[in-house]
Amino acid sequence: MNQLSELIKIISYKRNRIPLNLFLLLCLNLLLAPAVQAATPAAESRFSAYTITLLGIITLSLCVYLFVVIFQPERF
């Protein structure tokens, strides 16, 4: 229980946002890349599956960011 409270404290600390976001992005990539590899032809390598997944995640996050910027410009 003590470790969980320390983890929540680290996540809520604003200075650690970028490294934490990068870590979560890489973990999400590790979860999604096997699905991409299974959906692509057998000739594709594992590296290609990871890069395609990472490109998809970056594209999706950019779309969400631009959506927020367009509809809430006063925040930026």
Side-chain angles (χ1 to χ4, degrees):
M1 188 66 179
N2 190 17
Q3 292 176 346
L4 182 62
S5 64
E6 288 180 22
L7 180 64
I8 292 171
K9 196 181 299 184
I10 289 172
I11 290 172
S12 64
Y13 190 57
K14 291 195 182 229
R15 198 164 169 216
N16 289 331
R17 293 279 180 181
I18 293 175
L20 181 66
N21 288 338
L22 288 175
F23 175 72
L24 292 174
L25 180 72
L26 289 173
C27 289
L28 184 64
N29 192 12
L30 286 175
L31 292 174
L32 294 177
V36 171
Q37 188 176 8
T40 56
E44 296 292 325
S45 66
R46 181 178 290 186
F47 178 74
S48 297
Y50 281 101
T51 54
I52 290 169
T53 306
L54 186 61
L55 180 64
I57 292 171
I58 290 171
T59 304
L60 182 66
S61 62
L62 184 62
C63 289
V64 168
Y65 171 74
L66 290 175
F67 182 79
V68 170
V69 167
I70 288 171
F71 288 106
Q72 296 178 347
E74 64 274 358
R75 290 182 63 192
F76 300 94

